Amino acid sequence: MSKVYRLIVAFVFINLSFYSFADEQKEQLLLDIFNPNSNRNFSISPNGSLIAHANFDGKYTKLFVFDPKIKVKYQLLKDRINSFYDFIDYFWVDDKHLVVSLRNKLGQRMLELFIINEGNDKRNIVKSKLVENYFMFDSLPMVPNKMILGKRNGEETLLYKLDLTNSKYYTQLRNKKRINRGVTKHNYWLSDSNGHISISHQQQKDGINKIYYRSPYRKSWELVYEVKNVNKFKPALFDQNSQQLYFFQSNVNDESELYSLNVTTKQLSEPLYRLKSLNYSGVLKDKRRTKVLGVVSIAEGVSTYEMLDNSIEQSLGELSKELSTNTLYIIDSSLDGQKSILVDYASNKPGSFYLFDKTELSLDILDYALPNLKDASFQETQVFKSKTSDGVEIESYFTPSENHSRKMPLIVMPHGGPHGVRDYRYFDRTVQSLSKLGYSVLQVNYRGSSGYGKEFLESSKKQWGKLIEEDIATATKNIISKGLANEGNICIFGISYGGYSALMSSIKYPELYSCAISYAGVTDLVLLFSEHRAKTNKEAQEFYLEYVGNPNKNLNELKQYSPVYRAKDIKTPIMISHGGKDTVVDLEHYFRLASVLDALKIPYKKVFYKREVHGFDKVDTQVDFLIQLSNFVEESLSKN
């Protein structure tokens, strides 16, 4: 990059949001933010000597292995986007074996094996095909040369142990070699550090959770624990030395608690720990699988560590102080715990990866999640809470315009779903792009969003166009009351359900929203039930009946909350857009609303992307859409 170009880009990032600027300037800004060059999936080998990560440059996904001792990087894989096989993930089996998971256009998986041998001055890497139609279940980092593979067979999951020293791979995957016989239809399994499948979890349709244990010296499974009527149940770790199974189970208040169960005596402990957040996300455990180090939960939109090991909490605190951050996370560690990969990641930070060596007390930068944005500054997202008319607390996230002016327009951006989905307070390219373009952004976790308990999740049933949109309006009015936005200077934009919500919100609250933008939005609730997915997928049909409504009983009500049937009530400027390859929301929703608006002679803007999917798959269309959106918002608000 030339010095002149760097200066221009720096000027764009620093100054553009203070002005109304041309499409060419907007395009350059957005191309920088949506540059596909990205690094991800950092992982350390069991002994800590090698680090692997994936890079995507817009055309190829590349897998690299880095030797931090001699500062040499090796390329293992170069996979072209939209080739027959696409890169999915990779796994360290041991210090010299790495397995890559690929998936083809038919949805079939293939595993490739990379053998990384020591050399005099560089490593020799040998690649070979492993097996097809199996997935990695457990890479068994404590057991060299061995791993556990899985295969789906209808309702069953078949598990096999594979020994890489025996080249007759498929012989080891014969039916009689299964290691989870008798429990193949269960939901979850845990292996101990020696690779023995010891724990099986079965969640029955009546809500009963059962835990079975099998000793390494027996073939039969024994029921060791059973519990009814709990919303959450998750086995976490099994320590074969102490015979203790650690698991999370929710109490009557929907709080997740950590228990231990001795599988030999069947003695259950008192709660060892109670999560501070309702949203259990995962567990931190040592690579040797002997203890639970901490719990990961989501609080106020970000991952939160609740550490059970004080030494790790102290180390993280010291490292955070050194980096002047409070958003540092452990993503992987060596078996002995002496080397760890950390990431510093937040709403205003795309992500920086570090290698921490506890023995050397060194902290070295590995790379950046989005390298071309490493020097750019972004706005921090703030948390706000508001109460609805029926007393429900709604959490929302506000990202200010880059110039922090109250006079700058606000774009309310409801998420898709709407059920079991949520917004987070991580770096979001669309949110930060809008901030750079001069808009503040409000994201609302309305009722039905995940992470706030079962009651909150289920309170969204049959609330399309009703209480969900009231939640969003309440959060918007709260931002106005805080002096962060002005009435008459607010638009609403969403994708999928968010697009539906934008349209319905503009109909319900025309005094609140001065324009609405829908991308891939549902426009006809009745149409949902006649689409191919609802007719061929029983689960989808049942979901629509439970969460949207029944067209055989509530046809008029469904029409009342459908933008297509309420088009005559649209009083604010609207923009609709859709992707021609969308397989989630039928294109008929877009064309049906456009046809009705044309017949009613209601002015609107439409943008159709023939090559796009549900959401955005291509940088050029994402950039074009945001330019179109920005111009539409400017034009709509100028009328006020």
Side-chain angles (χ1 to χ4, degrees):
M1 182 187 294
S2 70
K3 290 183 178 179
V4 173
Y5 180 73
R6 281 199 296 268
L7 286 171
I8 291 172
V9 171
F11 177 80
V12 167
F13 271 119
I14 294 169
N15 293 298
L16 273 183
S17 63
F18 287 85
Y19 307 99
S20 176
F21 39 90
D23 287 359
E24 293 79 10
Q25 294 172 305
K26 293 180 182 179
E27 182 179 25
Q28 184 56 66
L29 168 68
L30 294 171
L31 285 172
D32 281 323
I33 293 179
F34 286 97
N35 187 309
N37 184 28
S38 57
N39 294 303
R40 58 187 173 93
N41 295 49
F42 280 79
S43 181
I44 195 166
S45 62
N47 70 359
S49 63
L50 295 172
I51 295 167
H53 82 277
N55 170 270
F56 178 63
D57 64 7
K59 290 185 178 179
Y60 295 95
T61 296
K62 302 171 187 175
L63 182 63
F64 294 100
V65 165
F66 174 64
D67 188 330
K69 187 175 182 179
I70 60 176
K71 309 294 184 187
V72 175
K73 182 183 284 190
Y74 306 93
Q75 181 176 301
L76 304 187
L77 176 77
K78 185 177 181 181
D79 175 50
R80 187 178 179 86
I81 187 172
N82 293 325
S83 59
F84 187 67
Y85 276 100
D86 288 328
F87 171 83
I88 302 299
D89 205 350
Y90 71 90
F91 311 87
W92 286 105
V93 177
D94 50 42
D95 300 309
K96 64 178 290 186
H97 293 106
L98 186 146
V99 170
V100 173
S101 176
L102 305 168
R103 184 167 53 212
N104 65 23
K105 301 298 182 186
L106 304 176
Q108 299 166 326
R109 288 181 180 263
M110 180 176 75
L111 299 178
E112 289 186 337
L113 174 66
F114 290 85
I115 303 174
I116 306 168
N117 297 305
E118 293 276 4
N120 294 329
D121 55 350
K122 69 175 187 176
R123 295 176 183 269
N124 175 41
I125 299 171
V126 179
K127 170 186 171 182
S128 64
K129 179 180 174 182
L130 195 59
V131 292
E132 290 182 329
N133 299 320
Y134 290 84
F135 61 88
M136 178 68 76
F137 177 80
D138 193 336
S139 60
L140 302 178
M142 285 283 290
V143 188
N145 303 311
K146 292 184 175 63
M147 56 188 170
I148 296 176
L149 300 184
K151 183 177 183 178
R152 293 291 298 167
N153 180 35
E155 296 182 2
E156 296 182 306
T157 298
L158 315 179
L159 301 179
Y160 306 86
K161 186 180 287 186
L162 192 72
D163 186 345
L164 293 175
T165 62
N166 179 357
S167 61
K168 296 180 179 180
Y169 299 140
Y170 284 102
T171 300
Q172 301 178 60
L173 301 174
R174 289 183 296 181
N175 196 42
K176 67 178 183 179
K177 298 284 187 178
R178 277 184 298 157
I179 59 175
N180 65 332
R181 286 178 173 275
V183 289
T184 54
K185 290 186 179 182
H186 287 191
N187 306 84
Y188 191 76
W189 302 266
L190 277 179
S191 58
D192 59 31
S193 58
N194 293 322
H196 176 72
I197 298 290
S198 303
I199 301 295
S200 179
H201 169 217
Q202 181 187 31
Q203 186 175 38
Q204 298 179 171
K205 290 183 179 180
D206 56 7
I208 297 176
N209 287 274
K210 295 183 177 181
I211 292 291
Y212 294 85
Y213 167 69
R214 183 180 63 180
S215 163
Y217 312 106
R218 299 181 62 185
K219 292 184 178 181
S220 60
W221 291 86
E222 180 185 7
L223 178 66
V224 293
Y225 184 68
E226 181 176 336
V227 63
K228 302 176 182 178
N229 302 320
V230 294
N231 294 331
K232 301 170 190 171
F233 188 92
K234 184 70 174 179
L237 179 146
F238 177 66
D239 178 17
Q240 73 268 24
N241 295 322
S242 65
Q243 292 290 286
Q244 294 290 328
L245 167 69
Y246 296 88
F247 62 88
F248 286 93
Q249 176 179 302
S250 59
N251 59 24
V252 292
N253 297 319
D254 212 19
E255 301 164 316
S256 291
E257 297 174 321
L258 176 66
Y259 291 85
S260 68
L261 172 75
N262 187 300
V263 296
T264 303
T265 65
K266 301 181 185 178
Q267 182 175 352
L268 180 68
S269 72
E270 293 295 318
L272 304 174
Y273 186 79
R274 177 177 296 159
L275 264 73
K276 297 172 185 175
S277 166
L278 290 179
N279 195 5
Y280 166 82
S281 178
V283 64
L284 289 172
K285 50 192 175 185
D286 68 321
K287 277 276 189 83
R288 295 181 183 276
R289 304 182 187 182
T290 58
K291 59 180 178 179
V292 176
L293 303 176
V295 184
V296 186
S297 58
I298 303 296
E300 295 191 334
V302 295
S303 292
T304 302
Y305 285 165
E306 299 181 32
M307 302 305 300
L308 308 184
D309 187 313
N310 292 331
S311 64
I312 295 178
E313 187 171 21
Q314 184 178 350
S315 295
L316 270 178
E318 292 171 355
L319 291 169
S320 297
K321 188 180 295 184
E322 183 176 336
L323 292 172
S324 300
T325 182
N326 60 354
T327 54
L328 199 60
Y329 303 99
I330 302 170
I331 56 175
D332 198 17
S333 297
S334 57
L335 273 177
D336 60 10
Q338 295 304 301
K339 292 181 180 179
S340 298
I341 297 176
L342 311 174
V343 62
D344 185 17
Y345 182 52
S347 60
N348 59 339
K349 294 183 283 190
S352 305
F353 297 95
Y354 297 88
L355 174 64
F356 173 58
D357 189 322
K358 191 182 294 186
T359 305
E360 301 291 333
L361 293 178
S362 61
L363 183 66
D364 299 309
I365 185 73
L366 289 171
D367 215 325
Y368 301 91
L370 302 175
N372 70 307
L373 298 182
K374 64 184 178 69
D375 297 322
S377 62
F378 296 97
Q379 299 303 303
E380 186 174 355
T381 301
Q382 306 157 30
V383 180
F384 286 89
K385 295 181 181 180
S386 52
K387 279 281 181 73
T388 63
S389 60
D390 59 345
V392 176
E393 184 177 78
I394 301 298
E395 186 174 88
S396 55
Y397 309 133
F398 177 81
T399 306
S401 163
E402 185 162 276
N403 65 7
H404 292 274
S405 170
R406 183 173 183 264
K407 295 181 180 180
M408 300 309 291
L410 171 68
I411 293 182
V412 180
M413 204 168 89
H415 63 71
H419 314 282
V421 184
R422 62 166 296 156
D423 275 322
Y424 294 89
R425 231 166 15 104
Y426 298 130
F427 183 82
D428 185 304
R429 294 202 221 203
T430 300
V431 170
Q432 294 294 344
S433 293
L434 292 171
S435 174
K436 289 284 184 186
L437 289 170
Y439 307 104
S440 296
V441 180
L442 180 66
Q443 299 165 277
V444 183
N445 279 330
Y446 47 75
R447 68 189 73 204
S449 302
S450 62
Y452 301 94
K454 184 179 180 181
E455 183 179 350
F456 186 86
L457 182 70
E458 294 187 347
S459 65
S460 63
K461 289 181 179 179
K462 297 182 175 66
Q463 295 303 320
W464 287 46
K466 303 173 190 174
L467 289 178
I468 291 177
E469 280 56 52
E470 182 182 319
D471 294 347
I472 297 165
T474 299
T476 304
K477 292 172 184 176
N478 183 50
I479 292 299
I480 295 172
S481 72
K482 301 293 184 184
L484 296 171
N486 286 335
E487 293 182 10
N489 210 23
I490 302 171
C491 289
I492 183 166
F493 152 61
I495 297 175
S496 194
Y497 179 86
Y500 163 84
S501 182
L503 295 170
M504 277 308 301
S505 292
S506 70
I507 293 170
K508 285 171 65 76
Y509 305 101
E511 75 290 346
L512 185 60
Y513 305 110
S514 297
C515 69
I517 303 97
S518 169
Y519 182 90
V522 171
T523 66
D524 186 345
L525 298 186
V526 181
L527 179 61
L528 290 173
F529 296 89
S530 60
E531 292 174 355
H532 177 75
R533 184 169 58 162
K535 287 185 174 181
T536 58
N537 187 317
K538 185 179 179 182
E539 288 184 2
Q541 189 178 74
E542 290 176 350
F543 172 83
Y544 289 145
L545 288 170
E546 182 177 5
Y547 282 87
V548 182
N550 189 330
N552 295 322
K553 296 179 181 180
N554 314 109
L555 181 62
N556 291 333
E557 185 178 1
L558 291 176
K559 287 183 176 181
Q560 183 183 352
Y561 294 101
S562 296
V564 155
Y565 299 101
R566 297 286 301 278
K568 66 180 184 303
D569 297 322
I570 294 175
K571 307 302 181 186
T572 57
I574 68 165
M575 169 180 161
I576 60 173
S577 186
H578 217 106
K581 294 185 177 180
D582 192 334
T583 59
V584 178
V585 174
D586 198 290
L587 300 184
E588 181 64 18
H589 287 276
Y590 169 82
F591 290 117
R592 190 169 288 194
L593 180 59
S595 177
V596 171
L597 292 172
D598 288 336
L600 294 173
K601 294 183 169 52
I602 296 175
Y604 68 102
K605 180 174 182 175
K606 63 179 179 179
V607 185
F608 187 75
Y609 296 106
K610 187 176 180 180
R611 299 181 301 136
E612 268 300 357
V613 294
H614 188 71
F616 293 97
D617 192 40
K618 296 172 174 57
V619 172
D620 59 341
T621 49
Q622 174 106 58
V623 168
D624 181 75
F625 175 78
L626 287 176
I627 292 173
Q628 300 270 9
L629 179 150
S630 177
N631 292 342
F632 174 74
V633 171
E634 288 176 16
E635 181 184 348
S636 300
L637 295 182
S638 68
K639 297 175 182 178
N640 291 338

